[in-house]
Every structure is written in structure tokens, then in C-alpha cells.
Amino acid sequence: MPIPAKICGLKTPETVAAAVAYGAAFIGFNFFGKSPRYVEPEQAGMLGRAIPAEVVKTGLFVDDDDARIAAILAAAPLDLLQLHGSETPARVAAIKAKFGLAVMKVIKVRDPADIARAAEYATVADRLLFDAQPPADMKNALPGGNAVSFDWTLLQGFRSPLPWMLSGGLTPANLAEAVRQSGAPAVDVASGVEDRPGEKNINKIKDFLAVARSL
């Protein structure tokens, strides 16, 4: 059965069209201002109009307040809010209640204790995404998209009432092994389909989605 895949950090009509054409289940727009993948809300709104209804339009937010989330949604309607910061379970519940949209909480992983933290969000989020905690000595680390992975075997046997995704350092070359080791039912990629931070490669998007379809 194909593994649903999310292509995150898209900024151009060409890359959005490629992700849709090659079978992405989710398309992600990054609204974290310090990221090389940042997209203006108005641009995301324009790009979103070309995305079929069955593809989930996702917005990446990092510890944003209600006013900023509302302003972005006014310009770029979304289906799923990806919370990639230090949002508490209470904050996740509040965002979900206020905006009436599905919410995916990102869990940043370095060791088994981080996996265990996912249980705190089981009753307030709609989805989980496991991403790598950047190394402590990594300079200018981003909340995500750092092209680093974690020990995928930490997720072996993981069970949750919520659907979940694997992220962090995935590429077309390592995707099959990452899914085998982690048991991930869905995957997310940003840096692994780029030539350089923020610049997507259409052929890499095609290759990544081809592997996901084969699994």
C-alpha cells in the first residue's frame, strides 16, 4: 500500500504542480519567517488555489499567536495546521478550538523520552509528526528542515490513537529504509528534495514520491 507523503516548504507554481502530479497527499507551506522555505501568505494563497481538494493544504507555524494565525488563514486557507514549536497540549487544544481546523503537533526526537511525550497530545491533536531534534551544537538550527535524522528504530512498535508521520533527513535514497525501521505510516520531506535550502528540485520530488508509492 502506498505511503502517503507530504512535500513541505513549497514556494513556486512549478513545484506545487509537480508535487500534485506525482502524488503528494499533503503539501506544506512554511510560515516561519527565519526559514529559507518561508512563503508569504498571499503567495501561499495563490498557490493553494491550484491544489485539488483531496490534497491536504498544510501550514507550518512556530509558536505563533492567534492574531498571526488568523491573518495567515485570511490570505491562505488551509486544511491542517502543523505546530512545529514548543506548543503545550493546552495551546494545541486552544488553537484547534479557535480556528476549527485539524492540528498536527510536531514531536522533536532525540531519545525515547521524546517519543513518550507524544501521549500528552493524544487527546488534543489530530495528527503527530516526529522530526529530529537538531544537535545541541548545530549553528542556526531551524525548528525543522535541518537535514538531520534521528534513530528511526525508536519508533518501532509505537502505537497511538492518532495518525502520524515521520520526518527528518529523509531522501529518496533512504526513505524505504526509514519506513522499514520506524514502521511509519506516512512521511514528510523538505530538505531531502532540495538542491539547496529552500530550492526544491522537481526530479527529487518525483523520485521521493515514486519511492513512497512503491512501499
Side-chain angles (χ1 to χ4, degrees), residues 11-13 16 29 39-51 57 75-77:
K11 302 188 291 185
T12 68
V16 167
F29 299 118
V39 63
E40 292 288 347
E42 293 75 17
Q43 174 74 353
M46 182 274 291
L47 294 171
R49 289 194 288 273
I51 297 174
K57 295 190 294 292

Side-chain angles (χ1 to χ4, degrees), residues 83-85 87 104-111 113-121 127-133 150 158 165 167:
L83 304 181
H84 217 111
E87 298 89 359
M104 178 163 66
K105 180 67 184 92
V106 176
I107 308 295
K108 298 173 187 176
V109 179
R110 186 173 292 151
D111 56 42
D114 296 318
I115 305 291
R117 284 196 307 110
E120 300 172 13
Y121 296 91
R127 291 178 172 272
L128 300 171
L129 187 152
F130 293 95
D131 196 3
Q133 184 84 253
F150 61 92
F158 175 74
M165 291 184 176
S167 188

